[in-house]
Amino acid sequence: MFPEDGMERYDPKTIEARWQRVWDDERAFHVPNPAEGEISEREKTYVLEMLPYPSGELHMGHVLNYTLGDVVAHMRRRSGYAVLRPMGYDAFGLPAENAAIREGGHPRVVAERNIEAIRAQMRRMGWAIDWEREVSTHEPEYYRWTQWLFLRFFEHGHTYRKEAPVKWCPKDQTVLANEQVIDGRCERCGTEVEAKSLEQWFFRITAYADRLLDEMSLLEDWPERVLTMQRNWIGRSEGAEVVFRIDELDAEVPVFTTRPDTLYGATFFVLAPEHPLVPRLVEGTPQEREVLDYVRRAGARSTVERETKEKDGVPTGRTITNPVNGEQIPVWVADYVLMEYGTGAIMAVPAHDERDFAFAERYGLPVRVVVEPAGGDSAPEQGVFVAHSAGERLVDSEQFSGLPSPEGKRAIVERLERDGNGKQVIAYRLRDWLLSRQRYWGCPIPIVHCGACGLVPVPESELPVLLPEVEEFLPKGRSPLAAAEEWVRTTCPSCGGEARRETDTMDTFVDSSWYFLRYCDPRNDEAPFGRDVADYWLPVNQYIGGIEHAILHLLYARFFTKAMNDMGLVGFREPFLRLFNQGMIHHLGAKMAKSKGNVVEPNLYADRHGADALRLYVLFMGPAEQDKEWQDTGIEGTVRFLHRLWRLVHEQVERGGPAQAPSGGALARKTHETIAKVTDDVQRRFVFNTPISAVMELVNEIARAPEDPAARFATETAVSLIQPYAPHVAEELWQRLGHERLWEEPWPVADEAQLRRETFELVIQVNGKVRDRVQAAADLSREELVELARNSPRARAFIDGGSVRQAIVVPRKLVNLVVG
RNA sequence: GCCGAAGUGGCGGAACUGGCAGACGCGCUGGACUCAAAAUCCAGUGCCCUCCGGGGCGUGUGGGUUCGAUUCCCACCUUCGGCACCA
């Protein structure tokens, strides 16, 4: 740039490669575990970003995600904490398997090739990661412990196998967990899912529903919307189970309702088409054909269709007895009642439930009002829909009439309980987590099916159950593992007889539900992790990732942690104390996607401008939690800034000014203000764009007064403050300033004494409008400030003939003269 | 439909607890350097008016509270996200 000055040009490529090598050689970011049996003296911080799926290509979302974590980790480490910041790969799963099917070859080869590629790109970004703790979920050394944990869950009854209606993705040829179905479509491929009844493996996450809600109180800082989404997903609702009877069949049919106070308004009864009682109910009746026909048609409807069409159903010809008044009401079958929720049957109260009302309207069923809104003085109109409201009272409900709704609920439930016709219950929307998948590239389920002994766990000594080698990965409705006949055929660990291995593999979300624990103790070959070491590092202090896992991964990991806590494997109940969701980086107005051709590749920019400029830019763009738009010209601004800083440092080295700043000067004060701002912004506010602005301001100030006695001090501080954001160039400049190892240098602390000002700019307002600004001594009294304002000629012009009726003084800020 | 978040210059954004709206950066305009260009540096840059002193308006829209509102309250508009036959 200025070769005639002999100043070396800022060349990010060389600098970045050099410092990455130094960090590796010196194991700069390796953190040892506290020695056995002794808790480390140093306070710890666990900074973690969500486990990446190794697609082979790093994208901008990763860059933002890991750079955020990097800044936090650097600052924490330089503030004296032992910082755990590991990295690994969520390597099992469909993308690698599908790529292998498409291109031929083995999913493992695809996955490992991708890992190599993405690791190289990550290292290029210079993140301060302890690479010695790297793990990948597809390695037998890892999935051995996934299996081990599965068996502990199995022993404790957290895992079970049952036949149940499940969601099936016809494209991926596998079942899905409820959480992986979005609007009736497969979360991965968007194919409409089908309903099937299959025998599958489940985690009993529903047993933890209440704790997943209640223990949110243990979390330090999670985005409110994530908590809301989880609460909605769990869907806890308090109500009652009410038992209706069909005497002719000697059958009891319980329903769940949140409105037991409306029991007298039940005018019909509805069973889900899948309800097991339906065939017996209509057997040999004139309605049999029509009802079974309806059931068949409902079964063929897609979830989407079922949810969007007009409500329909068929009468069964049977009646059922309302336990409170003995009334006989007709039983219908309709698919607006879902088998998965409650008991698969409802009492229909059309006057007080919109869905029941719509159904009653269509089929001309009676509508009986039994609750009147607050302040109803005349008898309620019959046959209409009455929305739920505060202060409502029961009517036409025998002895319960007149009770306010909440008391009515209580009284009716008490009566039901006394008569053995019901009880208070809580229903959840949350379903158990379906964990088995009919695909190859996943963790094998370590179970043996024995004709004599049933489901037998594989003994711990035989773990891992390795994935068998097969020729064909294409799924055909059953797991490709089933084709490895020799592998499938085994002996029962319990009785020694012939037995067959489980051929389903686990949902990859199982792998990622405990990876944050493996990082504590990644090479342990006797246990998934040592409890002491886990209890030292965990819970994660700062977790960072995308909002897409608001329910899926985050709910599963919380469940796993709680179950492990119950089993005595860990001493804490929540895995992630603070959660941060970064926004998405868009380009050309849309989410980056290969199919749209608008992907901005980080590597390209790292090569062109350096990783430091890229890291700075993704943070400088705007608030980290907001979605934002990539601008090529934007990164050029950060490039320019680094060049400017580079020149400034060299100029200061040339000048050789004193490193210690004399106190009291404007530049010295600005420097301390910058330290305070940069530190506070990250630590308290978790914002990353304004600290960069603050350092830019400081650099601008230095450039304006390079001969200031505080210039050298200001320059060194700027380099030190920018280190978490642009670590390579900061390290290089630090060395050129005559120091070493900036990453080990304590984080700067602002000197309170230097922050104090002797004068300030007093803003003078007249009737709320700024009319003048004057310098004022910091220690002036309120009266003196008002005098100063009154004497301002500019303010006077606006006071004119009027009199000052009031003066508002904000100390060290402004005076507002109210003139009337 | 319900719940939530957001709306500020040409653009990304700042203003943290009700007290100077537009920090920082991009872009643009003018100038310096150069044979020229790039790079760099300097100055300017919300809109309107101006006698060049300054004045008026301005944070989605309309109202309110207040000495004072981007910030608090009410209503509405727009965008985005979540939930949505859950009994």
Side-chain angles (χ1 to χ4, degrees):
Chain A
M1 183 163 313
F2 297 121
E4 65 272 21
D5 296 355
M7 189 199 289
E8 203 181 319
R9 196 194 157 91
Y10 167 47
D11 174 27
K13 235 179 187 163
T14 321
I15 289 173
E16 291 178 359
R18 171 156 76 244
W19 286 102
Q20 284 167 17
R21 209 173 316 118
V22 173
W23 294 333
D24 272 352
D25 291 348
E26 303 191 9
R27 300 172 79 196
F29 308 120
H30 171 63
V31 60
N33 280 340
E36 208 170 326
E38 110 186 358
I39 291 300
S40 165
E41 305 271 293
R42 277 170 93 192
E43 233 187 301
K44 68 89 186 179
T45 293
Y46 190 171
V47 180
L48 185 66
E49 299 95 350
M50 289 178 187
L51 189 66
Y53 174 78
S55 67
E57 276 162 43
L58 196 71
H59 54 75
M60 279 301 167
H62 290 127
V63 176
L64 175 57
N65 195 185
Y66 299 124
T67 305
L68 283 169
D70 219 44
V71 171
V72 175
H74 275 299
M75 280 181 66
R76 282 271 168 168
R77 191 170 18 72
R78 288 180 59 193
S79 301
Y81 291 83
V83 173
L84 176 58
R85 201 165 108 85
M87 184 54 71
Y89 312 98
D90 190 17
F92 271 140
L94 282 183
E97 186 168 334
N98 288 340
I101 291 167
R102 212 167 41 240
E103 299 156 19
H106 197 284
R108 182 183 306 109
V109 177
V110 174
E112 290 179 353
R113 191 177 60 213
N114 284 344
I115 288 172
E116 292 295 320
I118 203 167
R119 183 196 291 120
Q121 296 175 56
M122 286 177 159
R123 303 206 121 206
R124 176 72 188 83
M125 297 306 302
W127 289 316
I129 286 162
D130 183 355
W131 290 101
E132 294 173 43
R133 291 175 183 264
E134 193 180 57
V135 301
S136 182
T137 58
H138 80 289
E139 289 163 347
E141 296 76 23
Y142 183 91
Y143 73 71
R144 170 185 180 183
W145 299 111
T146 307
Q147 293 175 339
W148 186 90
L149 286 167
F150 175 92
L151 293 176
R152 298 290 84 72
F153 276 63
F154 184 70
E155 279 168 14
H156 284 81
H158 296 314
T159 314
Y160 66 95
R161 195 173 154 85
K162 74 163 182 201
E163 165 118 18
V166 298
K167 309 282 205 269
W168 172 266
C169 173
K171 175 140 181 286
D172 288 338
Q173 289 280 305
T174 182
V175 295
L176 299 171
N178 279 30
E179 289 79 6
Q180 288 157 18
V181 180
I182 314 287
D183 292 333
R185 293 172 180 280
C186 171
E187 175 237 0
R188 273 209 62 261
C189 66
T191 310
E192 219 172 278
V193 300
E194 295 168 3
K196 277 197 178 190
S197 189
L198 289 173
E199 195 174 316
Q200 295 290 322
W201 286 96
F202 293 87
F203 280 127
R204 211 181 293 280
I205 190 171
T206 52
Y208 282 85
D210 277 328
R211 284 179 51 189
L212 287 166
L213 288 170
D214 298 343
E215 291 175 7
M216 284 180 180
S217 64
L218 301 176
L219 302 172
E220 275 176 23
D221 186 25
W222 276 41
E224 199 48 48
R225 63 173 171 158
V226 173
L227 297 177
T228 304
M229 283 164 77
Q230 292 208 356
R231 276 190 210 107
N232 287 345
W233 188 260
I234 294 165
R236 180 184 202 270
S237 57
E238 292 181 20
E241 191 174 280
V242 184
V243 180
F244 283 65
R245 282 199 176 71
I246 302 174
D247 293 329
E248 306 158 87
L249 297 177
D250 194 25
E252 294 195 337
V253 193
V255 300
F256 173 75
T257 177
T258 53
R259 297 293 308 274
D261 52 324
T262 63
L263 201 40
Y264 285 87
T267 55
F268 61 102
F269 192 95
V270 189
L271 292 170
E274 298 82 7
H275 198 288
L277 189 68
V278 172
R280 188 153 78 89
L281 197 66
V282 293
E283 199 180 349
T285 71
Q287 285 81 7
E288 181 169 15
R289 230 189 118 95
E290 203 195 338
V291 170
L292 295 184
D293 234 40
Y294 177 83
V295 169
R296 203 169 318 113
R297 267 181 298 144
R301 279 175 180 150
S302 71
T303 328
V304 176
E305 192 189 348
R306 210 168 144 159
E307 281 176 17
T308 48
K309 70 170 175 57
E310 204 187 334
K311 288 182 188 26
D312 60 17
V314 284
T316 63
R318 297 276 187 189
T319 59
I320 196 163
T321 313
N322 185 333
V324 283
N325 57 7
E327 191 178 355
Q328 295 290 311
I329 55 174
V331 178
W332 287 61
V333 173
D335 68 359
Y336 80 92
V337 174
L338 310 174
M339 195 58 220
E340 306 96 87
Y341 186 75
T343 61
I346 62 155
M347 62 176 209
V349 184
H352 305 292
D353 182 290
E354 270 187 276
R355 297 151 300 176
D356 296 344
F357 186 75
F359 194 81
E361 286 252 283
R362 176 162 183 183
Y363 294 103
L365 294 159
V367 177
R368 190 191 303 155
V369 173
V370 291
V371 173
E372 60 171 5
D377 33 10
S378 56
E381 194 188 343
Q382 280 302 330
V384 297
F385 176 72
V386 180
H388 185 56
S389 59
E392 58 196 3
R393 288 174 180 280
L394 276 59
V395 291
D396 288 332
S397 299
E398 296 181 347
Q399 72 269 38
F400 304 106
S401 299
L403 287 178
S405 184
E407 279 80 58
K409 283 183 185 173
R410 228 170 293 140
I412 289 179
V413 172
E414 265 169 38
R415 150 90 176 276
L416 291 167
E417 278 177 350
R418 201 165 348 106
D419 300 345
N421 287 328
K423 59 188 177 203
Q424 207 180 318
V425 296
I426 293 162
Y428 300 90
R429 208 188 84 109
L430 181 70
R431 307 262 59 88
D432 276 339
W433 171 11
L434 199 175
L435 74 106
S436 42
R437 295 291 179 274
Q438 289 72 50
R439 297 290 304 228
Y440 176 77
W441 190 232
C443 176
I445 294 174
I447 291 284
V448 166
H449 297 261
C450 169
C453 313
L455 300 173
V456 183
V458 172
E460 205 179 314
S461 59
E462 289 175 28
L463 296 183
V465 175
L466 291 169
L467 265 177
E469 291 305 321
V470 301
E471 298 290 315
E472 177 71 56
F473 305 108
L474 205 64
K476 300 180 184 75
R478 58 170 200 163
S479 168
L481 270 61
E485 185 55 33
E486 276 181 39
W487 176 84
V488 173
R489 227 179 305 137
T490 186
T491 52
C492 171
S494 174
C495 69
E498 272 185 34
R500 298 180 68 77
R501 286 189 190 280
E502 169 65 53
T503 59
D504 282 354
T505 51
M506 294 185 211
D507 181 2
T508 53
F509 281 105
V510 181
D511 309 325
S512 55
S513 287
W514 74 281
Y515 77 101
F516 44 89
L517 284 157
R518 185 64 179 170
Y519 283 141
C520 300
D521 209 358
R523 309 291 167 245
N524 192 331
D525 57 9
E526 279 157 21
F529 49 84
R531 163 136 185 198
D532 287 353
V533 123
D535 285 351
Y536 172 71
W537 287 116
L538 273 284
V540 170
N541 298 83
Q542 183 65 60
Y543 201 34
I544 308 172
I547 187 70
E548 66 274 16
H549 289 296
I551 295 168
L552 291 157
H553 161 63
L554 289 168
L555 195 66
Y556 294 149
R558 293 182 63 216
F559 158 63
F560 251 59
T561 302
K562 292 175 194 308
M564 285 192 263
N565 177 254
D566 282 351
M567 292 186 271
L569 296 174
V570 298
F572 48 90
R573 292 186 283 175
E574 285 289 344
F576 316 121
L577 292 181
R578 299 171 67 92
L579 172 70
F580 183 84
N581 296 120
Q582 86 271 17
M584 260 185 323
I585 300 179
H586 295 220
H587 187 43
L588 304 175
K591 183 179 171 175
M592 290 187 200
K594 260 191 194 164
S595 58
K596 293 188 199 123
N598 66 341
V599 177
V600 178
E601 283 178 50
N603 264 313
L604 216 69
Y605 288 86
D607 287 345
R608 197 179 298 159
H609 301 296
D612 282 335
L614 178 57
R615 295 167 52 121
L616 269 176
Y617 179 54
V618 294
L619 296 182
F620 184 65
M621 285 172 90
E625 71 278 9
Q626 279 174 28
D627 289 357
K628 41 207 155 270
E629 173 77 15
W630 177 270
Q631 305 275 353
D632 267 2
T633 50
I635 190 169
E636 283 159 24
T638 58
V639 173
R640 239 171 272 175
F641 165 69
L642 291 178
H643 276 283
R644 206 169 146 85
L645 180 64
W646 178 271
R647 283 195 306 271
L648 203 73
V649 167
H650 286 81
E651 193 185 336
Q652 289 300 322
V653 170
E654 288 281 299
R655 282 176 187 275
Q660 285 303 312
S663 57
L667 185 57
R669 187 174 55 235
K670 177 73 182 174
T671 307
H672 285 281
E673 283 170 356
T674 307
I675 294 170
K677 168 140 186 85
V678 169
T679 308
D680 182 64
D681 274 358
V682 174
Q683 286 180 354
R684 183 178 59 86
R685 301 175 64 203
F686 215 73
V687 298
F688 300 83
N689 50 333
T690 47
I692 297 171
S693 299
V695 177
M696 286 175 169
E697 277 186 58
L698 179 60
V699 167
N700 291 345
E701 292 286 318
I702 303 167
R704 241 169 255 140
E707 73 296 335
D708 190 291
R712 172 79 180 216
F713 165 68
T715 305
E716 295 202 353
T717 303
V719 169
S720 179
L721 291 176
I722 210 68
Q723 180 269 349
Y725 304 82
H728 311 86
V729 66
E731 208 61 60
E732 180 73 22
L733 292 175
W734 192 247
Q735 197 177 54
R736 288 172 187 236
L737 283 159
H739 310 292
E740 352 185 4
R741 310 298 175 249
L742 179 53
W743 75 82
E744 290 173 345
E745 200 66 26
W747 186 251
V749 178
D751 180 352
E752 288 295 326
Q754 299 251 20
L755 291 173
R756 275 197 283 280
R757 288 166 172 271
E758 271 143 37
T759 63
F760 70 99
E761 193 181 57
L762 177 70
V763 172
I764 299 168
Q765 295 184 337
V766 178
N767 288 336
K769 295 198 178 204
V770 179
R771 297 303 181 186
D772 200 3
R773 297 157 223 258
V774 297
Q775 284 299 314
D779 55 1
L780 291 186
S781 69
R782 300 176 86 92
E783 291 71 25
E784 287 168 316
L785 288 172
V786 172
E787 254 336 279
L788 207 54
R790 278 172 169 278
N791 291 334
S792 147
R794 285 161 187 262
R796 272 184 148 154
F798 288 89
I799 297 169
D800 212 6
S803 63
V804 176
R805 306 212 306 209
Q806 198 188 347
I808 282 117
V809 180
V810 181
R812 300 176 66 91
K813 276 215 176 94
L814 65 74
V815 170
N816 184 17
L817 302 173
V818 184
V819 177

